[in-house]
């Protein structure tokens, strides 16, 4: 466990959050739930693909050349025999080709026997040997590697897994995240009255967390009271809880009291940054299924987003077995005075190749973030105009 210290500077807090997490073990999950996951072990064809010879067209399986008489369905065909078949149907033994329905005509000969001949629209030479037959193993032989370990399971790969008859896949472990939204003043629909606040996290935080590599298993409104908070922190259902609001130490804030009551360990107790200073990271007591963490985000919307990038993003990267996300560099378009001990995280746009801060970026605002292309990291000692600053991409602008 990292050493516990209070009020970490921004870089240190980010690093601590990353180091707190060990990469999760691989897991087996149902194929249909594996979209977007990283395959941990290769998938081989369990049998030939396809596993039997079949028709690629509706029509007749035929042997020899026209005219054909009909053999009993499914039985071996001898030269001069045919039997009806549908696309995907099992080819009877002895079939040399499939004549598609447009190219054949069933008639009755002089003795009243059903006969298949070529229609007037049949192409010259039709049916060629092997025509319209899907051969066994033409896509893959049994044992061939179909999907490489390390590949991201996109829709085509999932479909191929299904075609191969696979029911479960072994994928890299991904952190399960539950969201706890505090605040008795929060309403989820309609226009808030004075004293009420419209919830800005419910509609998007889960999505943002998914972009950062978490699997959100649930989202819960948490009333401002101690027993409910203790109960919510004591459920054994994943690796990470992310809370919003209630990071303060007022009578209405219960997170810190609940953490103390359950014996949690504060790994990052506030970050010397603006906004988002009260953001914290705690290690929760283990309940049987491995390490559990709580990232506490402040209630102010922009502050919460900065807390998410500072603590939750690196923690999720660590749990996913990924590297700490890289920080970019950009020349700064304005000068910033020093701000004792505080790193400023400012939404910016790139203008003429320079990082230029946007307006409306107070902790409780959101219009600045809407205009932003990234977050610039202004160190406590300030920045001269034209000097390089560190920049973080927004989760939704990451390639
Ligand atoms: N005496 C002090 N007061 C405050 C301090 C301080 O150091 N001393 N720090 C300020 C800072 S900085 C922040 S940030 C906030 C942190 O507040 P909390 O995390 O305790 O959050 P709340 O008090 O619950 O809410 C703050 C603010 O955010 C609004 N909020 C909460 N949830 C939502 C939501 N789901 N959607 C939209 N808005 C939400 C809430 O209504 C409040 O307006 O504390 C400062 N105070
Ligand atoms: O840091 Mo608070 O996070 O200013 O709103």
């Amino acid at each position: 466990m990292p050493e516990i210290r209070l009020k970490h500077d921004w870089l240190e807090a980010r690093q601590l959050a990353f180091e707190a997490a060990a990469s999760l073990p691989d897991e087996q999950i149902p194929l249909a739930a594996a979209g977007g996951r990283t395959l941990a072990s290769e998938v081989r064809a369990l049998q030939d693909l396809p596993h039997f010879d079949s028709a690629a067209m509706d029509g007749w399986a035929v042997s020899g050349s026209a005219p054909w008489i009909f053999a009993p369905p499914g039985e071996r065909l001898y030269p001069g025999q045919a039997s009806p078949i549908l696309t995907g149907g099992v080819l009877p033994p002895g079939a040399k080709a499939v004549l598609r329905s447009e190219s054949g005509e069933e008639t009755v000969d002089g003795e009243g026997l059903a006969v298949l001949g070529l229609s007037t629209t049949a192409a010259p030479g039709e049916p060629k040997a092997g025509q319209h037959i899907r051969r066994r193993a033409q896509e893959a032989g049994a044992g061939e590697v179909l999907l490489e370990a390390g590949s991201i399971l996109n829709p085509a790969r999932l479909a191929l897994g299904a075609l191969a008859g696979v029911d479960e896949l072994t994928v890299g472990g991904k952190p399960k995240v539950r969201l706890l939204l505090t605040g008795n003043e929060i309403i989820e629909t309609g226009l808030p009255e004075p004293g009420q606040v419209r919830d800005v996290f419910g509609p998007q935080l889960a999505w943002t967390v998914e972009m950062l590599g978490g699997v959100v298993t649930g989202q819960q409104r948490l009333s401002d009271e101690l027993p409910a908070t203790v109960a919510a922190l004591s459920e054994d259902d994943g690796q990470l809880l992310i809370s919003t609001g209630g990071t303060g130490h007022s009578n209405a804030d219960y997170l810190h009291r609940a953490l103390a009551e359950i014996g949690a360990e504060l790994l990052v107790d506030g970050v010397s940054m603006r906004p988002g200073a009260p953001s914290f990271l705690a290690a929760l007591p283990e309940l049987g299924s491995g390490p559990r963490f709580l990232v506490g985000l402040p209630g102010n919307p922009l502050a919460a987003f900065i807390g998410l990038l500072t603590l939750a993003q690196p923690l999720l990267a660590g749990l996913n077995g990924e590297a700490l996300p890289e920080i970019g560099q950009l020349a700064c378009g304005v000068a910033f005075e020093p701000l004792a001990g505080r790193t400023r995280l400012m939404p910016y746009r790139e203008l003429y190749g320079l990082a230029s801060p946007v307006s409306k970026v107070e902790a409780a605002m959101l219009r600045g973030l809407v205009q932003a292309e990234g977050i610039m990291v202004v160190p406590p000692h300030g920045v001269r105009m034209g000097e390089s600053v560190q920049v973080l991409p927004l989760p939704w602008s990451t390639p």
Side-chain angles (χ1 to χ4, degrees):
M1 273 299 164
E3 182 194 350
I4 306 165
R5 289 182 26 209
L6 299 182
K7 282 289 173 198
H8 301 278
D9 77 33
W10 182 78
L11 267 181
E12 188 186 36
R14 187 171 181 267
Q15 186 70 33
L16 275 177
F18 177 66
E19 287 170 5
S23 119
L24 294 170
D26 297 340
E27 55 181 335
Q28 266 209 322
I29 58 172
L31 178 84
R37 303 292 292 265
T38 305
L39 200 57
S41 40
E42 66 188 12
V43 172
R44 288 176 181 268
L46 302 172
Q47 57 180 0
D48 291 338
L49 275 189
H51 60 292
F52 60 95
D53 292 341
S54 64
M57 294 281 174
D58 296 339
W60 301 268
V62 297
S63 176
S65 46
W68 299 274
I69 56 167
F70 290 97
E75 283 195 14
R76 167 169 289 279
L77 299 184
Y78 294 97
Q81 286 189 317
S83 61
I85 197 163
L86 295 175
T87 305
V90 181
L91 209 68
K96 298 289 185 282
V98 168
L99 180 70
R100 54 185 192 140
S101 43
E102 297 88 322
S103 302
E105 214 165 40
E106 285 187 23
T107 50
V108 177
D109 71 4
E111 285 151 35
L113 197 66
V115 175
L116 173 66
L118 291 170
S119 71
T120 50
T121 55
E126 202 176 347
K128 296 192 181 74
Q131 199 174 7
H132 304 315
I133 291 179
R134 285 190 202 135
R135 285 285 171 215
R136 174 185 186 129
Q138 71 180 25
E139 183 154 16
E144 236 179 275
V145 175
L146 300 177
L147 301 172
E148 304 280 354
S151 50
I152 309 275
L153 290 160
N154 63 20
R157 291 185 173 125
L158 280 194
L160 181 56
L163 192 73
V166 169
D167 294 321
E168 294 202 317
L169 291 171
T170 307
V171 295
K174 237 180 159 182
K176 295 190 181 64
V177 184
R178 192 156 50 91
L179 307 180
L180 302 175
L181 312 185
T182 75
N184 290 348
E185 75 283 16
I186 303 305
I187 62 161
E188 287 164 0
T189 54
L191 279 179
E193 302 280 345
Q196 292 184 320
V197 175
R198 178 68 191 260
D199 172 28
V200 303
F201 300 121
Q204 54 78 27
L205 185 57
W207 188 14
T208 315
V209 169
E210 301 256 349
M211 288 176 193
L212 299 179
V215 176
V216 176
T217 57
Q219 178 165 297
Q220 177 186 340
R221 284 288 308 277
L222 190 58
S223 57
D224 292 331
E225 49 175 296
L226 189 59
T229 310
V230 167
L233 300 189
S234 307
E235 271 179 51
D236 187 14
D237 66 345
Q239 291 73 39
L240 178 58
L241 289 170
I242 297 180
S243 62
T244 61
T247 59
H249 295 269
S250 79
N251 289 342
D253 296 320
Y254 290 96
L255 276 173
H256 284 282
R257 269 179 276 170
L259 288 175
E261 184 156 323
I262 64 172
E265 187 181 7
L266 272 163
L267 304 177
V268 177
D269 188 9
V271 185
S272 297
M273 63 180 180
R274 181 178 287 172
S279 308
F280 66 82
L281 168 63
L284 302 176
E286 291 191 24
L287 296 171
S289 51
R292 302 189 312 131
F293 299 94
L294 169 66
V295 169
L297 303 175
N300 284 324
L302 183 60
F305 179 71
I306 298 301
L308 190 75
L309 289 193
T310 301
L311 297 176
Q313 183 174 27
L315 185 77
L316 287 167
L319 290 166
N320 275 307
E322 294 166 1
L324 184 61
E326 275 183 29
I327 302 180
Q329 297 278 342
L330 202 58
C332 189
V334 294
F336 286 99
E337 293 296 317
L339 179 69
R342 289 274 187 132
T343 300
R344 281 155 285 179
L345 287 118
M346 323 242 342
Y348 77 90
R349 283 182 74 78
E350 194 176 326
L351 274 184
Y352 307 110
L354 300 172
S356 304
V358 294
S359 59
K360 312 279 185 198
V361 291
E362 282 175 29
M365 294 182 170
L366 280 171
R367 285 183 69 189
L369 189 59
V370 164
Q371 297 170 56
E373 292 170 353
I375 305 292
M376 57 200 270
V377 184
V378 177
H381 55 77
V383 185
R384 291 190 308 278
M385 190 169 158
E387 196 184 339
S388 183
V389 276
Q390 295 184 312
V391 290
L392 300 171
L394 301 176
W396 46 93
S397 65
T398 311

